[in-house]
């Protein structure tokens, strides 16, 4: 028995909670993964996993062995990545997941630059606003905008993005320009965003000399951030989004900012990945590139349009 290969299979089974997903991520048949676990249990003389047709759960012994085995595999992966990085550039497959508007309006238009710099990285891009289980789905990192969730993931904030309240010129020509959040709520059509597992609406947020103000009412809403921007551009109403993803819309006049003195909130743009031990040359190259690209665009737009100039790092 190859004990290290069996240990890797066991750790992946636990983290994905599935023999099928573990086999797919390890690039081997499901039967091989099942046999590796069986051989490991025989070698240890104890049951590690309880299997049913619907779920995989750990025994008491399996829980103890997983904690020790996980650290061992992570340390070995880190050592491998360090030595490989000393002798070779960034290359191989990198699976990332990016929220919809950032993917469509920032990442994809700039990917030619990433490919030019890192021709040996095969980038696999998942696009969507839904929460992603990185380990179960084999994702190396996610890029998200907004407050960081309470999670065991390592989170690196690469930039702070400014919130923008805006509408199309056509909408404003028909309905006028709101002058306060109160006039917006009472006299205008509002487009909004809802997300999360419960479809929770994200109210429009305002902060000015008169205090803070929230508008939870939407006439039209979307759970896709690109869809929200397209609704505003189509003249369906006034909404809020992040400055980074509508930079070209603002520059071309497709969208016009309103209530600027009331729209002062900023939100972090962050990269999250499973653990520091999983950092490798491919992931490091992508994080450095996307942070540099966002910062360069922010500087080009100037402080009145897009972002704050700072970035910070946080981990949980």
């Amino acid at each position: 028995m190859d004990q290290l290969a069996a240990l890797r299979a066991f750790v992946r089974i636990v983290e994905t909670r599935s023999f099928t997903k573990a086999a797919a991520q390890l690039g081997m048949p499901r039967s091989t993964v099942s046999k590796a676990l069986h051989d490991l249990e025989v070698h240890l003389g104890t049951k590690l996993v309880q299997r049913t047709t619907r779920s995989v759960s750990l025994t008491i012994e399996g829980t103890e062995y997983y904690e020790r085995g996980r650290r061992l595999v992570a340390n070995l992966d880190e050592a491998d990545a360090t030595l490989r990085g000393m002798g070779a550039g960034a290359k191989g497959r990198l699976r990332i997941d990016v929220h919809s508007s950032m993917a469509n309006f920032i990442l994809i238009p700039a990917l030619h630059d990433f490919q030019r710099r890192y021709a040996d990285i095969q980038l696999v891009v998942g696009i969507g606003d839904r929460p992603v289980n990185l380990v179960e789905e084999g994702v190396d990192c996610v890029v998200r905008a907004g407050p960081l969730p309470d999670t065991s993931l390592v989170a690196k904030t690469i930039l702070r993005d400014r919130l923008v309240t805006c509408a199309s010129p056509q909408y404003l020509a028909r309905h006028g320009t709101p002058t306060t959040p109160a006039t917006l709520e009472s006299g205008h059509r509002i487009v909004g965003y809802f997300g999360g597992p419960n479809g929770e609406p994200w109210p429009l947020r305002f902060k000015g000399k008169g205090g803070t103000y929230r508008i939870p009412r939407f006439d039209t809403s979307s759970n896709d951030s690109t869809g929200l921007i397209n609704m505003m551009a189509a003249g369906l109403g006034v909404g809020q989004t992040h400055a980074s993803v509508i930079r070209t819309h603002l520059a071309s006049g497709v969208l016009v900012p309103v209530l600027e003195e009331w729209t002062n909130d900023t939100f972090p743009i962050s990269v999250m990945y499973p653990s520091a031990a999983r950092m490798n040359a491919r992931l490091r190259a992508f994080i450095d590139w996307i942070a540099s690209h966002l910062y360069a665009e922010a500087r080009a737009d100037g402080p009145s349009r897009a972002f704050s100039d700072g970035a910070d790092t946080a981990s949980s």
Side-chain angles (χ1 to χ4, degrees):
M1 177 191 69
D2 184 337
Q3 187 172 358
L4 178 58
L7 178 60
R8 286 186 182 277
F10 167 64
V11 168
R12 192 58 64 186
I13 289 167
V14 174
E15 293 180 339
T16 61
R17 294 179 289 182
S18 165
F19 281 76
T20 301
K21 290 181 179 178
Q25 292 187 17
L26 292 168
M28 58 180 61
R30 186 185 186 283
S31 58
T32 302
V33 170
S34 182
K35 184 177 186 305
L37 176 63
H38 172 75
D39 291 345
L40 185 61
E41 289 176 329
V42 170
H43 171 73
L44 297 171
T46 189
K47 196 78 171 172
L48 298 174
V49 171
Q50 297 287 356
R51 285 170 270 188
T52 69
T53 56
R54 292 182 176 270
S55 64
V56 174
S57 60
L58 287 170
T59 63
I60 294 175
E61 295 81 6
T63 299
E64 174 68 20
Y65 194 68
Y66 167 71
E67 290 302 324
R68 295 173 181 268
R70 177 184 62 82
R71 290 194 295 268
L72 178 62
V73 170
N75 289 336
L76 182 59
D77 287 345
E78 182 179 19
D80 286 352
T82 299
L83 288 178
R84 289 190 185 118
M86 293 172 63
K91 58 184 177 181
R93 183 181 186 272
L94 182 68
R95 169 74 162 85
I96 66 171
D97 196 273
V98 186
H99 67 265
S100 174
S101 55
M102 174 168 282
N104 285 289
F105 300 123
I106 297 178
L107 180 64
I108 292 174
L111 276 183
H112 60 87
D113 179 66
F114 183 82
Q115 290 178 333
R116 179 180 60 81
R117 294 169 183 255
Y118 305 104
D120 293 327
I121 294 180
Q122 294 87 52
L123 195 63
V124 181
V125 183
I127 300 174
D129 292 351
R130 69 177 181 85
V132 174
N133 187 312
L134 279 74
V135 175
E136 284 193 21
E137 299 183 39
V139 177
D140 293 294
C141 75
V142 298
V143 182
R144 289 292 184 266
L148 296 175
D150 183 12
T151 174
S152 60
L153 299 174
V154 175
K156 177 180 176 61
T157 298
I158 54 179
L159 205 65
R160 294 198 66 87
D161 198 356
R162 187 169 65 84
L163 200 63
V164 178
T165 306
C166 54
S168 72
Q170 294 78 13
Y171 173 86
L172 296 175
R174 291 195 306 269
H175 300 277
T177 300
T179 56
T180 67
T183 60
L184 171 63
E185 185 172 24
S186 62
H188 286 267
R189 299 194 64 80
I190 299 172
V191 296
Y193 179 86
F194 67 93
N198 300 320
E200 180 181 359
W202 293 20
L204 274 63
R205 303 167 184 266
F206 300 95
K207 183 169 56 179
K209 292 181 180 179
T212 59
Y213 203 99
R214 291 192 175 193
I215 301 178
R217 174 187 69 79
F218 301 146
D219 295 289
T220 312
S221 60
S222 174
N223 67 343
D224 179 88
S225 51
T226 300
L228 170 64
I229 293 168
N230 288 334
M231 286 177 178
M232 290 188 290
L236 297 181
V238 180
Q240 284 183 342
T241 188
H242 298 101
S244 60
V245 296
I246 56 167
R247 181 178 64 87
T248 58
H249 294 72
L250 295 175
S252 65
V254 170
L255 290 174
V256 177
V258 299
L259 297 174
E260 292 183 272
E261 68 277 15
W262 283 91
T263 313
N264 300 310
D265 279 346
T266 62
F267 288 87
I269 297 177
S270 305
V271 177
M272 294 182 286
Y273 50 95
S275 72
R278 291 173 186 253
M279 178 66 76
N280 54 50
R282 298 183 302 279
L283 181 55
R284 186 176 295 109
F286 176 76
I287 292 175
D288 289 346
W289 175 80
I290 191 67
S292 175
H293 179 70
L294 287 171
Y295 187 70
E297 290 208 336
R299 297 282 292 184
D301 283 341
S304 64
R305 267 274 167 103
F307 320 88
S308 64
D309 288 337
D312 59 270
T313 302
S315 61
S316 54

